[in-house]
Amino acid sequence: MPILWNETEKLFHLKTKHSSYIFCIAHGKYPVHLYYGKRLENTQGLAVFLNKLGGRPSVYAKSPEFIGKEDDFRLELVPQEYPFYGNTDLKTPAFSARYENGSRITNAVYAGHKIMDGKPRLCGLPSTYTESDAEAQTLELTLTDELTGLNIILSYTAYEETDAICRSVRVENNGEQTVDITSVMSASVDFLGADFDLITLGGTWTDECNITRRPLAFGIQSVDSKRGSSGHMHSPFLALAEKGARENSGEVYGFSLVYSGNFVAGTEVNEFHISRAFIGMNPFDFNWRLNPGETFTAPEAVMVYSGKGFGGMSRTYHRLYRTRLVRGKFRDKNRPVLANNWEATTFQFNEDKIIAIAQKAKEAGVELMVLDDGWFGNRNDDTTSLGDWFPNQEKLPNGIGGLAEKIEGLGLKFGLWFEPEMISPKSKLYEMHPDWCIHAEGRERNLGRQQLILDLTRQDVRDFIIGFLTDILKNNPISYIKWDYNRNFTDIGSATLPPERQSEVAHRYILGLYEILETITTAFPNVLFEGCASGGGRFDPGQMYYFDQYWTSDNSDAIARLKIQYGTSLVMPAIMQGAHVSAYPHHSLHRFVPMKTRGHVAMTGQFGYEFDLSKATDETIAEMKEQIALSKKIESVVHFGDMYRLDSPFETDCSSVEFLSEDKNTAVLFHCCTLGKINGAPHFVKMSGLDRASEYACEETGEVFSGAVLEDVGLAFRHSKDFESWIYIFHKQK
């Protein structure tokens, strides 16, 4: 079984396919972390070894024991499982609260546990799931503060085959007084030693998910968001990697948060070289009032240990998120090739223009035509009409239904853009409900992208959004929705919450968003939903629970996308990453990237087009047909196979990625040169994960290679031109 309880040693052992996570209950009270790493089949002597290894400094200790005697027990000196503020641990706590008498001390100790098959759902929050109880086991560890009546239930789910451990926290107020929760991490892990590198993903709009690697240092290092969403600047993720860990070697510990709002992910190293990793909701501007009898649930954190470098970690996240976080009918299906009109027309279009684009799209083999921003109200620029979700009659005289029917008459599916969470001050909705936006009474309402954010903490606002979306989707043949979100939180406040609950707005907003998404996606299971937040501004695991795919970045330049998609793939699978072939030269960078390369880069994600197809030449249409045929040939391997990153665009003048089918029978190799060289040496790309004893035939050249040769020698590429790319398909020979 994946979770073992040793009653004699008071020891919990959580096992996955390749990892063990072990902690004990010291002195019958305190959860003490013992080990996280490569799977241990026999734990005999673990506690004894750590006792001898520990040796607390004599200035503090009367005993050299690692855990120590209870009358001289210093939590500061032991690796903890879930530390509380106010006791003898002086590092960053996982939990803190304020009580009615002003005390901030929480002393919750072990009160019991239960182990169950399967995995319970989290109330009101997205999370990973099981399809049968045999897939995982869940441990619920109850810690109780007897003075206040507060219960903190730590939940651990061990996915044995999928190789991940998921953690969450539930707080129950069983006391008689109100409690204000001021911080609650979803996971906290203490490591003995600090010889790690910290890996995070940072960036900005059009430059998301740059990989940052820095050594751990004394003190606190962290990334976070205070923007109301997970944000462009940082992803809700961190990894600790041993020194020298690379793509396919070394130990890596990943921490990923299934949440779309304000978060923090960080580490702290103390003077005894204990390294604490923590991830959860951001305590900044957060306070949650918990009345007697109420429960608060924190988001889920997903922990992955890899003994095979970053690639091993990523493949575990990809498999888990692709199969046990994404839901619905599209989860296990290839998605349609789409064409979006935004970069072709922006706001300036009419029905005839969209039909002209759709006709050319159909001729090339595109399957879905998406109408982006500008179809509603008086929306001719970004200053007006968000919230007025009725067709612009000048642009669409036959309405959405009339256009959709014409698109479907061409043999294409029809998709539509929305930004449901926003409201324009210049709109009929704002005239009727000026208090429906996020705002602070008496303060100026600062605009972002000429818009305000609807207050999703309000039931009437949530009902309005659900109502108009339901009406449009019920009464029009719409197969796809692009759900956008284009500004950060400012002036945070709600007109309907009392003063003592104003610091709950940001989290209540996310809970309201999840409620809307759950309602709409459940009501319309046949609609493919794509998320967007000015590109990747809210591309996080919480969104993956509701959306079938996500627009990775507003930067569709193929060469820029090499880094963006590479960094995003550290956690997110290719099937989630929307990637389009854009205009030539690119509208923002003015780079002349060949159509072939633009197509190849987009095929390593969720394939589509975004330029003015109505002006496409016969030559372009012919090339599109070839690209779509190739994408269809490789999409099952790209979307459902294992991904191996071979050459990093962050470290080299090229990028190489391999996708390998689960049975190892088919491999797809993508390679792109960013900068050509005169008389440069050949660049060898070494593949990975193959059946080394078998032979693989290259479909494009007819050449046959052993798996060992492809892995150890590799394929030679000449980088003679800028922006040149290749895709090779290899088939295992029987």
Side-chain angles (χ1 to χ4, degrees), residues 11 118 146 202 229 246 251 294 313-314 344 375 377 384 432 456 460 545 617-618 622-623 644:
L11 183 145
E146 292 184 359
S229 66
R246 302 294 297 170
E251 291 191 308
E294 291 183 342
M313 177 197 71
S314 296
W375 59 266
T384 181
M432 293 186 292
L456 303 194
D460 51 359
Y545 188 73
T617 63
D618 291 344
E623 191 163 3
Y644 293 85

Side-chain angles (χ1 to χ4, degrees), residues 360-374:
K360 286 283 192 174
K362 175 60 179 176
E363 184 181 344
V366 170
E367 299 162 299
L368 169 68
M369 181 67 215
V370 178
L371 177 60
D372 210 284
D373 194 357

Side-chain angles (χ1 to χ4, degrees), residues 480-526:
Y480 161 105
I481 291 295
K482 181 179 178 182
W483 185 298
D484 212 344
Y485 170 92
N486 279 309
R487 66 154 292 181
N488 296 313
F489 275 43
T490 59
D491 322 302
I492 300 175
S494 171
T496 58
L497 289 176
E500 67 273 13
R501 292 195 179 273
Q502 290 297 316
S503 291
E504 299 176 7
V505 170
H507 182 55
R508 285 186 179 274
Y509 179 96
I510 296 298
L511 294 178
L513 172 63
Y514 289 155
E515 177 189 312
I516 293 168
L517 290 172
E518 182 69 30
T519 301
I520 291 297
T521 57
T522 300
F524 299 96
N526 295 319

Side-chain angles (χ1 to χ4, degrees), residues 119-128 155 167-169 297-300:
K119 183 178 189 291
R121 293 189 63 178
L122 296 189
C123 181
L125 288 165
S127 63
T128 58
S155 177
R167 294 181 59 175
S168 60
V169 178
T297 303
E300 180 172 85

